[in-house]
Amino acid sequence: MFTRRKSLVGLDIGSTEVKAVELTEAGEQIKITGYGSAPIESKDAVQDAISDVFRNAGIRTKKVATAVSGRAVIVRYLSMVQMAEEDLKSALRYEADKYIPFQVDEVVLDSAILPDFEDSVEEEEEGKQMKVLLVAVKQNLIDEHLQLLHGLGLVPTVVDVDTFALGNAFELNVLNSPRVEDEDKVTALVDIGSVKTNINVLKNNTSYFSREIYLAGSDFTEAISRRLGVGNVEANRLKRRPEGNEENIEESILPILDDLGNEIHLSFDYYENQYDREIDEVYISGGSARLPGLKAALERVFDRRIYTWDPTENLEVKDDKVDVDAMKQQSSQLAVAVGLAS
């Protein structure tokens, strides 16, 4: 008897690069059966980049999960009077203008009731309240996204928010880890991409805080370019492979690192004050996670150890279909793609 296999491609369409990870489920096993990436040469070349990824990686699966992000995506964590989930949908639709800066008819709304968090200060003070996650996305952003995928013959099954995909990747990593995790532990995920940094604070695999900060890899590249007197392409290459320029690179990015660290610190303070609960561990990922001096600078700002993580490390890889070495070199950048595929 044949085992039915289910495959899904996590398609992370970034600002400068497309990354795809195909996960295949056979029984209780999940394997990485496809991986690819391609640079986005210009705003008009996104479709070409996606085509290149699928062709060069040999990915035949058409079903994809993808994500949206940016200023057209609004995420709010609300305290509301307790009510049934079916009543919540209509209540939020009616009162959405209190929480989002767009007209209700311009957005797609979704929401979820978060599990009880006994340490919540607001809950103690206000009595019978519940925590609600509200997400609003401009309809035209989703329409453009779907049109792009349909134009390539792809079948979008999920449109997520990349911050939450980051959390899904971490959850999958923990589920497949031999270590036993403390369910009450609070974990902060910090993903430093090309144009923005995503923060997601999790407790028992549920997001209780998220934020986008518009300081990231491109700011580091520009700082290196100015310091070393080279173009952005060369600065970006040196950022990944310093080749003896480690000290100059560290000094050039230090002011931006301090600014980014302070913004992240403010986010952590907000969460900890709201819930009267400290963040236990901080994990970083993204293209800049291995930048010389970054980890040490963040440890200095937070006065705690910072961990890097590999979203592919606890997953079996079908090495006759995947270039494992290439994937591992880019693994810190694959958290969103893995989370989408999961």
Side-chain angles (χ1 to χ4, degrees):
M1 186 175 183
F2 293 103
T3 302
R4 186 180 177 188
R5 296 176 181 271
K6 300 176 184 176
S7 297
L8 183 66
V9 177
L11 186 61
D12 178 12
I13 306 171
S15 55
T16 61
E17 193 173 14
V18 173
K19 297 171 284 288
V21 173
E22 179 188 60
L23 294 186
T24 298
E25 180 186 49
E28 295 183 357
Q29 272 194 319
I30 294 179
K31 295 182 180 181
I32 298 177
T33 52
Y35 152 76
S37 67
I40 299 173
E41 303 294 348
S42 68
K43 289 183 179 179
D44 298 324
V46 176
Q47 201 168 53
D48 291 339
I50 297 172
S51 294
D52 288 346
V53 167
F54 276 76
R55 182 176 59 254
N56 295 336
I59 296 174
R60 296 184 179 181
T61 302
K62 297 297 183 183
K63 290 185 177 180
V64 299
T66 186
V68 291
S69 63
R71 292 181 171 88
V73 180
I74 305 298
V75 177
R76 296 284 184 265
Y77 297 80
L78 312 174
S79 290
M80 299 184 68
V81 175
Q82 284 188 356
M83 65 183 76
E85 190 144 13
E86 57 269 23
D87 297 327
L88 173 65
K89 301 286 184 183
S90 56
L92 284 174
R93 193 82 195 169
Y94 182 72
E95 300 188 19
D97 59 333
K98 293 181 181 178
Y99 310 115
I100 62 174
F102 309 127
Q103 296 295 321
V104 176
D105 58 3
E106 296 179 349
V107 301
V108 175
L109 287 175
D110 203 356
S111 61
I113 298 173
L114 300 178
D116 290 339
F117 197 153
E118 294 177 359
D119 296 331
S120 172
V121 173
E122 290 186 18
E123 190 172 321
E124 290 175 3
E125 291 177 352
E126 298 178 20
K128 294 184 178 179
Q129 298 281 306
M130 65 180 184
K131 282 288 180 185
V132 174
L133 171 63
L134 170 67
V135 180
V137 182
K138 292 288 285 288
Q139 180 72 59
N140 60 358
L141 177 63
I142 292 179
D143 291 343
E144 289 170 7
H145 213 70
L146 295 178
Q147 185 177 359
L148 173 69
L149 299 175
H150 288 145
L152 290 164
L154 299 175
V155 181
T157 60
V158 174
V159 178
D160 204 343
V161 175
D162 55 5
T163 304
F164 300 140
L166 179 65
N168 289 341
F170 191 79
E171 179 181 1
L172 183 65
N173 184 271
V174 170
L175 285 173
N176 288 281
S177 172
R179 294 191 310 166
V180 177
E181 295 288 343
D182 178 5
E183 290 185 354
D184 291 326
K185 183 171 64 179
V186 176
T187 302
L189 307 178
V190 179
D191 189 77
I192 307 170
S194 177
V195 299
K196 61 183 172 57
T197 296
N198 282 324
I199 301 172
N200 194 355
V201 179
L202 307 172
K203 179 175 183 288
N204 197 17
N205 296 322
T206 297
S207 174
Y208 283 90
F209 175 87
S210 64
R211 183 189 174 197
E212 291 181 344
I213 299 171
Y214 287 87
L215 276 173
S218 59
D219 299 287
F220 298 137
T221 299
E222 289 175 12
I224 294 167
S225 173
R226 288 193 300 269
R227 175 66 178 251
L228 299 182
V230 298
N232 278 356
V233 173
E234 176 65 8
N236 197 50
R237 187 185 70 80
L238 288 170
K239 184 175 72 174
R240 298 169 190 240
R241 293 182 291 278
E243 298 173 354
N245 290 285
E246 285 84 357
E247 188 174 338
N248 273 331
I249 289 173
E250 285 188 37
E251 289 179 2
S252 66
I253 67 173
L254 196 57
I256 297 167
L257 273 177
D258 285 342
D259 289 344
L260 178 60
N262 288 332
E263 287 295 326
I264 297 171
H265 207 299
L266 286 171
S267 299
F268 290 178
D269 283 347
Y270 177 85
Y271 169 85
E272 291 175 345
N273 289 333
Q274 186 178 31
Y275 288 101
D276 194 24
R277 177 72 161 80
E278 287 189 2
I279 291 170
D280 298 305
E281 291 183 342
V282 180
Y283 288 83
I284 59 172
S285 58
S288 297
R290 295 175 182 172
L291 194 63
L294 182 137
K295 187 166 174 283
L298 293 181
E299 286 180 338
R300 190 166 58 249
V301 171
F302 301 142
D303 192 27
R304 71 175 87 189
R305 186 177 176 188
I306 305 293
Y307 301 90
T308 56
W309 65 292
D310 174 0
T312 70
E313 67 180 341
N314 295 324
L315 293 170
E316 187 176 341
V317 182
K318 197 164 176 29
D319 56 14
D320 60 334
K321 286 191 171 185
V322 176
D323 185 338
V324 178
D325 290 338
M327 185 185 73
K328 287 300 180 181
Q329 285 179 10
Q330 201 181 20
S331 62
S332 64
Q333 298 172 251
L334 299 179
V336 171
V338 170
L340 290 168
S342 74

